[in-house]
Amino acid sequence: MNKLRRSLLLLLLVLAWALAPLLLSRHLIDLFVFAGLFTIGGLGVGLLLGQCGIVNLAQALFYGIGAYSSAYVTVQLGLPSLTGFLAGMLASALIAIAVGWPVLRLTGFFLALATLALSLIGNVLFFEWDWLTGGTLGIGGIPKLSIFGFAFDTPERVYYLVWPIAILVLLLADNLVRGRPGLAMRAMRDAAPAAEVLGVDMHRLKTAMFVICAMLGSLAGSLFAHYVSYISVQSFTVERSIAFLLIPVVAGSASVWGIIAGALFVTFIPELLSGFGDIHQVLFGLALVLVVTLLPDGLIGGADRLAQLLKRRMA
Amino acid sequence: MALQACRSLIALAPTALLSLYPLPALAQTTASREPIKLGAVISATGAIAGVGLPEREGILLAQKTLNARGGVNGQPIEILIEDDASSPDVAVSKVNALVHSHKVKALIGTSGIAQTVAVGGITAPLKLTQIAFSGLGPAVERERTCVFHITPSQELNARALLSYVRDMKASKVGVLHDSGYGQVVWNSMKDLAGEFGVTWSQVEKFEIAATDLTTQAAKVRASAPEAVIVISTSPMPFRNARQVRLTAPIISVHGTATYDYVKAMGDAADNIIHAEFLIAEDPLPHQREFVDLFQKEHGRLPKHFEAAGWDAVMSLAQALKTAGPDAANEALCSAMRRPYQGVMAKFDFSAPDMGGLTLASFNYSKLVKGKFTRLDYSAAK
Amino acid sequence: MSASLVMQAILSGITNGFVYALIGIGLAVIFKGTQIINAMQGEFAVIGAMVTVFALEPAGLPYGLSILLGVISGAAAGVIIDRLFVQPMMRQRAGEESFLLLTIGLAVTLSAAVLYLAGRNSYLLPSWGEEGVIEILDAFLQIQALWLIGTAIIVVVGLRLFYGRTLLGLSMMAASMDPDGAATNGINVRRMRSLTFLLGGTIGAIAGILVAPLVAVNYHMGIALTLKGFAAAILGGLSNPLGAVLGGVTLGLLESLAVVGFPSGYKDVIALAMMIVIMIVMPNGLLGRVGRIGG
């Protein structure tokens, strides 16, 4: 595709994005906000999966840490919301280092299982430490985000806040992946002995990526807390971790921008399916299984193959 | 980069297009006049489906009965029922759709405290009437004067249990509670020990999904309690308690007083006292009509969760009759705020806890060999 | 902390341990045969138990026949999963994480399907033989638990003999360790994989049927069982059924004794943390290298 056409397409996309809140119902905008949050959180998991080949089922833990940090800091301590964001990301980073350093020595299934165990431990602690998290009753009254007095108190406003942040982190991630760290990660994933010989400190790289993933999860969690104003343990379960993992799987793990597609899938498909009545959860599971089975490269891979097929037909 | 973004969107295009046309959920109408649209969000799937499904049955039966009797002053009601899959996030999403896209006049639901508080953030600012199947929870709910509560608060549950314990002249009490709902009730209960003249002989906690509590039950037994309070959403503590020969009477919160639990308790469903509301084998006069209707419709007896669903619809219908079907949100909310004699209990929605249940509202039952029998005991003192 | 309390903890720890062990054995068998971690092993147990429950009550069949149907449904589920999903993915040379995600997706689907078909209730099966408990030192053990322990031991011994002595068993191991080499020796690798899933499904169903008289089974239980089974299998070296028993019993005892000592809300946290530590410190499980090669 030549440069002009590409730029034009990009412009159209941006226009569509910008105009969406004016055309769509509030309910759909709400879903798009969630899709934005999941893009941020899912990106972290996607980087670990796509670039490092690591299955991370602990993202709900860091999502929760970000949410609870923001909630606790603004509601109990009365400090400005930026403090909450920073506290959350700091706590997540520290925990990611402390836990990641030993755990990332594991590989494959064992690592996946360890991260799942982390998610569960996190869930139990969120329940138990109700002096911090409010337990089942949760923490309410979280103030909406405001910057210089401009309050983000409607879904439309949060939409215009969340997506630029999502695009920003996607850009940074894309940069990372195309640069030397990305090369090092892929070397580590595809030919570990060679990478080691070339002096790639694999363990440090893995831990660094785990920390980045945790911080992205925390960022998404903090934004979530300020958006919904009330959080409770039920939002930070193993199911949430699985949902975060689904995002890069559905998208096609190696794609950075494809995370958007994965996040949209995870947000909108359950909504679509709920029209079918009580069987909707079964259908969602089946849809997931079908994507994994039929589209090993995810939706992006599938779209790619379709594009190539069409190109061949037309040539 | 733009290419990749394009590809993302092409892959999602069909999905996005379809999502612009939200599929309508379950609905029913009988008559010809424009129906009054109401919304309902319950948990039909997920962890608390055990509570949400009976609530839905009650709601549907009430809708059917009400419309057959002419609806609200001749106008039928149409209840759009959604499932929040036991998740507060989904509940928020569904309520947004019901309130902003479908413009429902009032909301029935949700089935759990977390969901109720979460969606209260949407209904309260609009003063939209919400009738919740959860008890009054965190402090923020006190300001939400249009969110009504059909089930008791945790503190009231705790007092109902302790009243019985005191009046059965037991003073050493063991406690088995789970880390979710049980923890909340326990937090309200632990400081009431002095007021009711009891001491805690042993308190054991367990995870919600735990499948074996024999050790915890044994620890409680070892403290030789005269009565044991169990607060759980699982049948396991009852079974394990009896397995370790814990023979003291067990007193429990209404959540486990359903036929499903009785079946799952097996032969442990004996000598268990519940502070509950509807003993269908021996209903109070004002409950008889509902019990008969339900039995005719479903071929089995209802419990209080079905009755709660029924009461939510019927009390709302009454308020609609008073305020008129086109009433503004505040007017409908004011019309709700009065005493209401429901099937489950006598409510007073004008009370500060938006429910008005008291100790006198409870009916006590005893499980005798798997059958609920009415206890001639009232806690109003 | 009295002797009877500790005894109770030991007895309930052993009972639970064998439940975890049975799930873990199924996981070990499937891993041994296909190198796949089956995140839906707990669902096989739920399927087996549910089919038995519904064969017994609404359909009114005798208990023995109901159990047989339950076991067959577990086996059938295993084969269907293999034929419908695993084989196509194998052909596409899908990666490890894809299989893990497949089984997770299937676990979620099956759990939702059980809710949809069987409802939200928890179901108990009648005990085998007499109801009741044995009393040891003022602590109690269900008689059903003895059946469970006995069956688990029989299964482990049976598997040992099967893999070690029979041609079929050896072929299955060969097909897993070196598919190409096995194929050149005339072993139908695909059929071996199907048989592995059949075996895994059967063992899973048996676990569910044995547990259901002790613990009421519901649509929710699958994932929790799978996790505990995982822990058991990993402690045992992952492809060693006997190891899974050791791992399961260790886990069960750890949990129960933790409850005696610590506030019981942290039971799962302690067990999971121990599992992580053991994975890191003893990667071949408690049995060392023998565990991983195992049989």
Side-chain angles (χ1 to χ4, degrees), chain A residues 1-48:
Chain A
M1 214 188 272
N2 62 36
K3 265 220 140 116
L4 181 63
R5 252 203 268 172
R6 206 186 290 182
S7 315
L8 216 59
L9 210 55
L10 192 59
L11 187 63
L12 264 173
L13 261 171
V14 173
L15 258 166
W17 170 83
L19 292 175
L22 304 170
L23 302 170
L24 299 175
S25 70
R26 179 174 168 148
H27 170 49
L28 287 174
I29 300 171
D30 180 59
L31 288 174
F32 272 107
V33 170
F34 273 104
L37 294 176
F38 290 154
T39 303
I40 299 172
L43 174 63
V45 182
L47 285 172
L48 277 173

Side-chain angles (χ1 to χ4, degrees), chain A residues 136-159:
Chain A
T136 324
L137 288 180
I139 301 182
I142 305 170
K144 303 283 182 186
L145 280 173
S146 73
I147 301 182
F148 303 123
F150 180 77
F152 289 93
D153 53 2
T154 68
E156 292 83 9
R157 293 187 180 187
V158 180
Y159 174 93

Side-chain angles (χ1 to χ4, degrees), chain B residues 13-243:
Chain B
T15 309
L17 276 173
L18 278 172
S19 69
L20 291 174
Y21 300 94
L23 298 167
L26 195 57
Q28 261 188 10
T29 54
T30 51
S32 49
R33 284 184 59 184
E34 188 63 34
I36 305 176
K37 266 206 262 187
L38 304 171
V41 175
I42 46 87
S43 303
T45 56
I48 57 175
V51 163
L53 286 169
E55 286 161 3
R56 185 170 67 181
E57 286 178 343
I59 293 173
L60 288 172
L61 184 61
Q63 179 184 239
K64 180 171 165 182
T65 311
L66 186 68
N67 284 342
R69 291 178 187 170
V72 172
N73 294 332
Q75 237 177 319
I77 56 167
E78 178 187 341
I79 308 184
L80 301 169
I81 305 188
E82 296 282 2
D83 168 24
D84 67 13
S86 307
S87 155
D89 305 338
V90 177
V92 164
S93 190
K94 298 294 184 188
V95 169
N96 263 328
L98 285 171
V99 169
H100 296 283
S101 303
H102 296 284
K103 308 259 188 276
V104 295
K105 289 229 67 87
L107 179 72
I108 297 173
T110 61
S111 309
I113 298 184
Q115 289 94 301
T116 301
V117 181
V119 308
I122 303 172
T123 60
L126 298 169
K127 295 246 173 272
L128 186 80
T129 299
Q130 178 183 347
I131 305 181
F133 297 116
S134 58
L136 190 71
V140 67
E141 291 211 284
R142 288 197 179 269
E143 299 151 29
R144 294 179 174 170
T145 53
C146 291
V147 178
F148 301 99
H149 299 273
I150 283 202
T151 56
S153 69
Q154 304 327 319
E155 192 188 321
L156 190 62
N157 276 324
R159 286 175 178 278
L161 299 182
L162 286 174
S163 296
Y164 186 84
V165 168
R166 175 198 61 201
D167 292 339
M168 71 180 265
K169 306 277 187 283
S171 58
K172 262 180 88 180
V173 181
V175 179
L176 271 168
H177 71 85
D178 71 23
S179 50
Y181 174 62
Q183 179 70 56
V184 177
V185 178
W186 170 245
N187 284 341
S188 306
M189 192 160 66
K190 60 184 171 200
D191 300 322
L192 296 174
E195 190 180 325
F196 288 86
V198 302
T199 53
W200 308 117
S201 67
Q202 183 75 18
V203 179
E204 287 298 316
K205 184 158 73 165
F206 55 91
E207 282 119 6
I208 296 180
T211 49
D212 177 81
L213 316 163
T214 341
T215 319
Q216 286 98 321
K219 274 171 96 172
V220 171
R221 186 188 70 135
S223 69
E226 291 161 313
V228 175
I229 292 182
V230 171
I231 313 159
S232 157
T233 48
S234 147
M236 289 325 292
F238 302 94
R239 276 179 67 78
N240 292 146
R242 296 305 186 215
Q243 276 163 16

